[in-house]
Amino acid sequence: MNLTRSSLCLLAATILGAPAFAQDSTIDLGGTWESIACELRPQAGADGLAPWYLKRSITFAPGRIDAHFTTYADPTCSAPLLELKFGGGVNVLGASDVAPGAREVDLIVNDYLTITPQMDGFAGFLNSAEPGACGATEWAVGEEQDVFATGCSVMGVAANSPTTEYEVLHVSAGHLYFGARPVDGQPLGEPDDRPTALQMPLKRLEGGMTQKVGADDLRVPKHVEIVLFKQAEGADPAAVRAFFENITQKMNQNDTLLYRSVGQGEDGTWLCVNYWTSRPDMETLNAQAQSWADEFATMGALVDPSSFRLTSYDTGL
Protein backbone atom coordinates (compact mmCIF):
# COMPACT_ATOMS: atom_id res chain seq x y z
CA MET A 1 0.00 0.00 0.00
CA ASN A 2 1.45 3.36 -1.04
CA LEU A 3 0.80 5.86 1.77
CA THR A 4 1.23 9.57 1.13
CA ARG A 5 2.27 11.96 3.88
CA SER A 6 -1.33 13.23 4.19
CA SER A 7 -2.71 9.71 4.56
CA LEU A 8 -0.05 8.88 7.16
CA CYS A 9 -1.09 11.95 9.16
CA LEU A 10 -4.65 10.75 8.87
CA LEU A 11 -3.62 7.36 10.21
CA ALA A 12 -1.83 8.99 13.11
CA ALA A 13 -4.97 10.89 14.04
CA THR A 14 -6.98 7.69 13.80
CA ILE A 15 -4.73 5.78 16.20
CA LEU A 16 -4.32 8.54 18.75
CA GLY A 17 -8.07 8.99 18.72
CA ALA A 18 -8.74 5.37 19.68
CA PRO A 19 -10.75 4.64 22.81
CA ALA A 20 -9.57 3.22 26.13
CA PHE A 21 -10.91 1.94 29.42
CA ALA A 22 -11.75 2.47 33.06
CA GLN A 23 -12.85 0.61 36.16
CA ASP A 24 -15.52 1.36 38.77
CA SER A 25 -17.15 -0.65 41.56
CA THR A 26 -20.56 -0.33 39.92
CA ILE A 27 -19.55 -1.93 36.62
CA ASP A 28 -17.56 -5.11 36.01
CA LEU A 29 -14.67 -4.21 33.68
CA GLY A 30 -11.68 -6.12 35.06
CA GLY A 31 -9.75 -8.51 32.83
CA THR A 32 -8.77 -8.70 29.18
CA TRP A 33 -10.94 -7.68 26.24
CA GLU A 34 -10.40 -7.79 22.47
CA SER A 35 -12.14 -6.83 19.22
CA ILE A 36 -14.87 -9.17 18.04
CA ALA A 37 -13.97 -8.48 14.39
CA CYS A 38 -11.92 -6.19 12.17
CA GLU A 39 -13.22 -2.71 13.03
CA LEU A 40 -13.82 0.17 10.64
CA ARG A 41 -12.42 3.59 11.49
CA PRO A 42 -13.66 5.95 8.72
CA GLN A 43 -11.75 9.23 8.65
CA ALA A 44 -12.08 12.48 6.73
CA GLY A 45 -8.98 13.72 4.92
CA ALA A 46 -7.91 15.96 2.06
CA ASP A 47 -9.34 13.50 -0.48
CA GLY A 48 -12.60 12.86 1.40
CA LEU A 49 -13.55 10.05 3.74
CA ALA A 50 -11.12 7.12 3.84
CA PRO A 51 -11.43 3.77 5.65
CA TRP A 52 -8.91 2.53 8.20
CA TYR A 53 -9.19 -0.82 9.95
CA LEU A 54 -8.34 -1.68 13.53
CA LYS A 55 -8.12 -4.44 16.16
CA ARG A 56 -7.94 -3.69 19.90
CA SER A 57 -6.76 -5.68 22.91
CA ILE A 58 -7.13 -4.27 26.43
CA THR A 59 -6.13 -5.44 29.89
CA PHE A 60 -7.10 -3.32 32.86
CA ALA A 61 -7.39 -3.39 36.64
CA PRO A 62 -8.66 -0.80 39.15
CA GLY A 63 -7.15 2.54 38.15
CA ARG A 64 -4.95 0.97 35.49
CA ILE A 65 -5.19 0.66 31.69
CA ASP A 66 -2.85 -1.14 29.26
CA ALA A 67 -3.99 -1.03 25.63
CA HIS A 68 -2.67 -2.55 22.40
CA PHE A 69 -4.01 -1.35 19.03
CA THR A 70 -3.07 -2.64 15.58
CA THR A 71 -4.12 -0.77 12.45
CA TYR A 72 -4.43 -2.51 9.08
CA ALA A 73 -4.66 -1.51 5.44
CA ASP A 74 -7.48 -3.91 4.53
CA PRO A 75 -10.99 -4.81 5.79
CA THR A 76 -9.93 -8.35 6.71
CA CYS A 77 -7.19 -7.04 9.05
CA SER A 78 -4.47 -9.10 7.36
CA ALA A 79 -2.03 -6.32 6.32
CA PRO A 80 -0.76 -4.49 9.47
CA LEU A 81 0.38 -0.88 9.20
CA LEU A 82 1.50 -0.13 12.76
CA GLU A 83 1.03 -1.10 16.40
CA LEU A 84 0.44 1.34 19.21
CA LYS A 85 0.50 0.60 22.96
CA PHE A 86 -0.26 2.93 25.82
CA GLY A 87 -0.92 2.88 29.55
CA GLY A 88 -2.10 5.15 32.32
CA GLY A 89 -4.93 5.92 34.69
CA VAL A 90 -8.66 6.63 34.49
CA ASN A 91 -11.40 8.54 36.26
CA VAL A 92 -14.92 7.09 36.20
CA LEU A 93 -17.55 9.82 36.51
CA GLY A 94 -21.34 9.84 36.55
CA ALA A 95 -23.98 8.15 34.44
CA SER A 96 -24.18 8.80 30.69
CA ASP A 97 -27.37 9.22 28.68
CA VAL A 98 -25.97 7.11 25.82
CA ALA A 99 -27.33 3.81 27.16
CA PRO A 100 -28.76 2.48 30.46
CA GLY A 101 -25.82 1.81 32.76
CA ALA A 102 -23.26 3.63 30.59
CA ARG A 103 -20.69 5.75 32.43
CA GLU A 104 -18.68 8.84 31.55
CA VAL A 105 -14.94 8.14 31.77
CA ASP A 106 -11.84 10.32 31.55
CA LEU A 107 -8.79 8.48 30.19
CA ILE A 108 -5.33 9.86 31.02
CA VAL A 109 -2.38 8.49 29.03
CA ASN A 110 0.45 9.30 31.43
CA ASP A 111 2.72 6.24 31.63
CA TYR A 112 3.93 5.08 28.23
CA LEU A 113 3.11 5.41 24.53
CA THR A 114 4.93 3.08 22.15
CA ILE A 115 4.84 2.85 18.37
CA THR A 116 5.94 -0.08 16.20
CA PRO A 117 5.82 0.59 12.43
CA GLN A 118 4.86 -2.50 10.42
CA MET A 119 5.48 -1.04 6.95
CA ASP A 120 8.31 0.91 5.34
CA GLY A 121 6.12 3.89 4.47
CA PHE A 122 5.14 4.53 8.06
CA ALA A 123 8.70 4.04 9.34
CA GLY A 124 9.81 6.64 6.80
CA PHE A 125 7.08 9.00 7.95
CA LEU A 126 8.30 8.74 11.56
CA ASN A 127 11.90 9.28 10.41
CA SER A 128 10.85 12.55 8.76
CA ALA A 129 10.78 14.17 12.21
CA GLU A 130 13.75 16.20 13.42
CA PRO A 131 16.33 14.07 15.30
CA GLY A 132 15.11 13.43 18.84
CA ALA A 133 11.62 14.80 18.13
CA CYS A 134 10.03 11.37 17.61
CA GLY A 135 11.76 8.57 19.48
CA ALA A 136 15.39 8.27 20.49
CA THR A 137 16.74 6.38 17.46
CA GLU A 138 15.97 5.84 13.80
CA TRP A 139 12.75 3.98 13.10
CA ALA A 140 12.67 0.57 11.42
CA VAL A 141 9.88 -1.87 10.62
CA GLY A 142 9.11 -4.16 13.57
CA GLU A 143 11.12 -2.14 16.11
CA GLU A 144 9.22 -0.57 19.01
CA GLN A 145 10.03 2.80 20.59
CA ASP A 146 8.44 4.63 23.51
CA VAL A 147 7.69 8.23 22.49
CA PHE A 148 6.12 9.43 25.74
CA ALA A 149 9.32 11.14 26.91
CA THR A 150 10.55 12.35 23.50
CA GLY A 151 7.17 13.11 21.96
CA CYS A 152 6.58 12.62 18.24
CA SER A 153 6.22 15.87 16.34
CA VAL A 154 4.93 14.33 13.10
CA MET A 155 2.08 12.67 15.03
CA GLY A 156 1.25 15.67 17.19
CA VAL A 157 2.54 14.08 20.42
CA ALA A 158 4.23 16.53 22.81
CA ALA A 159 7.12 15.36 25.00
CA ASN A 160 6.29 14.35 28.58
CA SER A 161 2.71 15.58 28.20
CA PRO A 162 -0.12 13.40 29.53
CA THR A 163 -3.22 13.51 27.35
CA THR A 164 -6.85 13.14 28.39
CA GLU A 165 -9.74 11.79 26.33
CA TYR A 166 -13.36 12.15 27.41
CA GLU A 167 -15.13 8.82 26.85
CA VAL A 168 -18.26 6.82 27.61
CA LEU A 169 -18.38 3.04 28.16
CA HIS A 170 -21.09 0.45 28.64
CA VAL A 171 -21.04 -3.26 29.59
CA SER A 172 -23.77 -5.62 28.38
CA ALA A 173 -23.89 -9.43 28.15
CA GLY A 174 -20.13 -9.90 28.42
CA HIS A 175 -19.31 -7.18 25.87
CA LEU A 176 -17.73 -3.77 26.42
CA TYR A 177 -18.90 -0.80 24.34
CA PHE A 178 -17.09 2.51 23.87
CA GLY A 179 -18.24 5.78 22.38
CA ALA A 180 -18.45 6.16 18.61
CA ARG A 181 -15.38 7.90 17.20
CA PRO A 182 -15.60 11.33 15.48
CA VAL A 183 -15.80 10.86 11.72
CA ASP A 184 -13.09 13.48 11.17
CA GLY A 185 -10.56 11.56 13.31
CA GLN A 186 -10.24 14.24 15.97
CA PRO A 187 -9.48 13.13 19.56
CA LEU A 188 -12.02 13.49 22.35
CA GLY A 189 -10.01 16.31 23.85
CA GLU A 190 -12.71 18.31 25.65
CA PRO A 191 -15.62 17.33 27.91
CA ASP A 192 -18.04 18.58 25.24
CA ASP A 193 -16.48 16.06 22.81
CA ARG A 194 -17.72 13.11 24.85
CA PRO A 195 -19.50 10.64 22.48
CA THR A 196 -23.28 10.48 22.25
CA ALA A 197 -23.45 7.03 20.60
CA LEU A 198 -21.74 3.65 20.99
CA GLN A 199 -19.54 1.62 18.65
CA MET A 200 -18.91 -2.08 18.00
CA PRO A 201 -18.00 -3.81 21.30
CA LEU A 202 -15.03 -5.74 22.64
CA LYS A 203 -15.51 -9.27 23.96
CA ARG A 204 -14.18 -10.44 27.31
CA LEU A 205 -11.34 -12.99 27.10
CA GLU A 206 -10.57 -13.49 30.78
CA GLY A 207 -11.16 -11.99 34.18
CA GLY A 208 -14.25 -10.33 35.55
CA MET A 209 -17.66 -11.95 35.82
CA THR A 210 -18.21 -14.99 33.57
CA GLN A 211 -21.22 -14.59 31.26
CA LYS A 212 -22.50 -16.72 28.41
CA VAL A 213 -23.52 -14.73 25.35
CA GLY A 214 -26.09 -16.50 23.20
CA ALA A 215 -25.88 -16.55 19.42
CA ASP A 216 -29.11 -14.55 19.25
CA ASP A 217 -28.04 -11.85 21.71
CA LEU A 218 -29.49 -8.64 20.28
CA ARG A 219 -26.79 -6.52 21.90
CA VAL A 220 -24.10 -8.07 19.68
CA PRO A 221 -23.97 -6.69 16.10
CA LYS A 222 -23.58 -9.45 13.52
CA HIS A 223 -23.74 -7.24 10.45
CA VAL A 224 -22.42 -3.74 9.68
CA GLU A 225 -23.75 -1.48 6.92
CA ILE A 226 -21.73 1.54 5.71
CA VAL A 227 -23.29 4.32 3.61
CA LEU A 228 -21.47 7.29 2.06
CA PHE A 229 -23.33 10.13 0.30
CA LYS A 230 -23.31 13.86 -0.40
CA GLN A 231 -26.10 16.19 0.57
CA ALA A 232 -28.03 17.97 -2.17
CA GLU A 233 -26.79 21.38 -3.23
CA GLY A 234 -28.10 24.03 -0.86
CA ALA A 235 -29.33 21.50 1.72
CA ASP A 236 -28.99 22.35 5.41
CA PRO A 237 -26.76 19.87 7.31
CA ALA A 238 -29.03 20.26 10.35
CA ALA A 239 -31.96 19.10 8.21
CA VAL A 240 -29.97 16.04 7.09
CA ARG A 241 -29.26 15.11 10.73
CA ALA A 242 -32.91 15.64 11.64
CA PHE A 243 -33.94 13.31 8.80
CA PHE A 244 -31.67 10.55 10.15
CA GLU A 245 -32.97 11.07 13.67
CA ASN A 246 -36.56 10.58 12.46
CA ILE A 247 -35.70 7.48 10.41
CA THR A 248 -33.62 6.00 13.23
CA GLN A 249 -36.46 6.45 15.70
CA LYS A 250 -38.82 4.53 13.41
CA MET A 251 -36.27 1.77 12.71
CA ASN A 252 -35.58 1.34 16.43
CA GLN A 253 -39.14 0.14 17.00
CA ASN A 254 -38.26 -3.46 16.09
CA ASP A 255 -34.89 -3.69 17.97
CA THR A 256 -32.86 -4.99 15.02
CA LEU A 257 -30.92 -1.78 14.30
CA LEU A 258 -28.66 -1.74 17.36
CA TYR A 259 -26.65 1.45 16.77
CA ARG A 260 -26.25 4.12 14.12
CA SER A 261 -23.41 6.66 13.85
CA VAL A 262 -23.78 9.60 11.45
CA GLY A 263 -21.21 12.29 10.66
CA GLN A 264 -20.11 14.71 7.96
CA GLY A 265 -16.54 15.11 6.72
CA GLU A 266 -14.82 18.38 5.84
CA ASP A 267 -15.47 17.81 2.11
CA GLY A 268 -19.22 17.60 2.73
CA THR A 269 -19.48 13.82 2.38
CA TRP A 270 -21.72 12.13 4.93
CA LEU A 271 -20.99 8.80 6.62
CA CYS A 272 -23.66 6.55 8.12
CA VAL A 273 -22.60 3.33 9.90
CA ASN A 274 -25.42 0.95 10.94
CA TYR A 275 -24.90 -1.98 13.35
CA TRP A 276 -27.53 -4.74 12.87
CA THR A 277 -28.49 -7.90 14.71
CA SER A 278 -28.02 -9.83 11.42
CA ARG A 279 -27.99 -9.39 7.66
CA PRO A 280 -31.49 -10.92 7.19
CA ASP A 281 -32.84 -8.49 9.81
CA MET A 282 -31.22 -5.60 7.93
CA GLU A 283 -32.69 -6.73 4.61
CA THR A 284 -36.16 -7.18 6.15
CA LEU A 285 -36.26 -3.75 7.73
CA ASN A 286 -34.78 -2.03 4.67
CA ALA A 287 -37.51 -3.64 2.57
CA GLN A 288 -40.17 -2.39 4.98
CA ALA A 289 -38.67 1.09 4.83
CA GLN A 290 -39.47 1.33 1.12
CA SER A 291 -43.11 1.97 2.10
CA TRP A 292 -42.35 4.83 4.51
CA ALA A 293 -43.51 7.54 2.15
CA ASP A 294 -44.02 10.21 4.79
CA GLU A 295 -40.59 9.74 6.38
CA PHE A 296 -38.77 9.79 3.03
CA ALA A 297 -40.80 12.61 1.48
CA THR A 298 -38.08 15.19 2.19
CA MET A 299 -35.11 12.96 1.32
CA GLY A 300 -34.99 14.05 -2.32
CA ALA A 301 -34.36 17.65 -1.29
CA LEU A 302 -31.61 16.71 1.15
CA VAL A 303 -29.49 14.04 -0.57
CA ASP A 304 -27.83 13.69 -3.98
CA PRO A 305 -29.05 10.20 -5.03
CA SER A 306 -26.18 9.73 -7.51
CA SER A 307 -23.62 10.01 -4.68
CA PHE A 308 -24.75 6.95 -2.68
CA ARG A 309 -22.13 4.26 -1.98
CA LEU A 310 -23.19 1.26 0.10
CA THR A 311 -21.12 -1.61 1.53
CA SER A 312 -21.83 -4.11 4.31
CA TYR A 313 -20.10 -7.07 5.97
CA ASP A 314 -20.68 -9.71 8.64
CA THR A 315 -18.79 -9.37 11.91
CA GLY A 316 -18.28 -13.13 12.18
CA LEU A 317 -20.25 -13.54 15.41
Side-chain angles (χ1 to χ4, degrees), residues 3-316:
L3 290 181
T4 64
R5 182 180 179 89
S6 61
S7 62
L8 286 167
C9 290
L10 177 62
L11 177 59
T14 303
I15 291 298
L16 293 179
F21 312 95
Q23 179 138 5
D24 183 80
S25 60
T26 63
I27 47 179
D28 179 42
L29 298 173
T32 300
W33 307 74
E34 72 172 16
S35 298
I36 60 175
C38 190
E39 302 179 38
L40 175 69
R41 286 291 186 274
Q43 299 290 315
D47 299 324
L49 288 169
W52 298 103
Y53 305 95
L54 176 72
K55 282 189 175 182
R56 299 176 281 163
S57 177
I58 308 295
T59 301
F60 63 99
R64 178 70 196 180
I65 293 171
D66 293 281
H68 183 182
F69 296 84
T70 304
T71 295
Y72 299 83
D74 64 309
T76 62
C77 283
S78 60
L81 297 175
L82 79 148
E83 296 182 31
L84 182 140
K85 300 176 184 178
F86 58 88
V90 296
N91 294 322
V92 178
L93 307 176
S96 168
D97 295 332
V98 172
R103 303 297 300 271
E104 294 185 349
V105 176
D106 292 350
L107 162 70
I108 305 171
V109 180
N110 58 4
D111 189 358
Y112 64 90
L113 174 62
T114 72
I115 301 172
T116 306
Q118 297 294 349
M119 59 167 292
D120 289 334
F122 199 83
F125 168 65
L126 297 174
N127 284 325
S128 69
E130 293 293 326
C134 184
T137 61
E138 184 175 359
W139 292 91
V141 172
E143 296 184 7
E144 179 182 75
Q145 291 196 56
D146 191 338
V147 300
F148 186 82
T150 66
C152 186
S153 60
V154 292
M155 293 184 69
V157 178
N160 293 307
S161 297
T163 59
T164 300
E165 288 210 347
Y166 298 87
E167 258 290 4
V168 296
L169 61 125
H170 175 58
V171 174
S172 176
H175 287 72
L176 180 61
Y177 297 80
F178 294 89
R181 310 314 299 173
V183 68
D184 59 3
Q186 295 300 310
L188 307 174
E190 300 291 338
D192 289 345
D193 297 331
R194 207 179 296 276
T196 57
L198 300 176
Q199 60 171 279
M200 183 182 295
L202 304 171
K203 63 182 178 181
R204 175 176 268 134
L205 292 185
E206 60 185 29
M209 181 174 58
T210 301
Q211 291 179 301
K212 181 178 181 181
V213 181
D216 59 350
D217 187 342
L218 296 183
R219 298 297 300 179
V220 180
K222 300 179 179 65
H223 196 76
V224 179
E225 181 183 32
I226 304 164
V227 183
L228 295 172
F229 65 90
K230 289 184 177 293
Q231 66 188 46
E233 185 175 355
D236 183 356
V240 177
R241 288 188 179 275
F243 166 77
F244 271 102
E245 290 176 1
N246 292 336
I247 293 298
T248 301
Q249 184 176 8
K250 189 172 182 68
M251 285 184 162
N252 280 343
Q253 294 176 4
N254 72 353
D255 294 327
T256 59
L257 176 63
L258 297 180
Y259 306 105
R260 165 175 280 166
S261 296
V262 179
Q264 186 180 31
E266 293 181 357
D267 68 339
T269 300
W270 285 82
L271 167 76
C272 177
V273 183
N274 301 319
Y275 298 93
W276 296 89
T277 50
S278 70
R279 183 184 184 93
D281 288 340
M282 176 192 73
E283 294 172 342
T284 297
L285 191 54
N286 283 342
Q288 294 174 0
Q290 300 304 311
S291 64
W292 297 350
D294 292 342
E295 287 76 8
F296 285 97
T298 60
M299 186 174 179
L302 297 174
V303 176
D304 175 6
S306 65
S307 67
F308 270 95
R309 288 184 287 159
L310 173 65
T311 58
S312 65
Y313 62 91
D314 289 330
T315 64

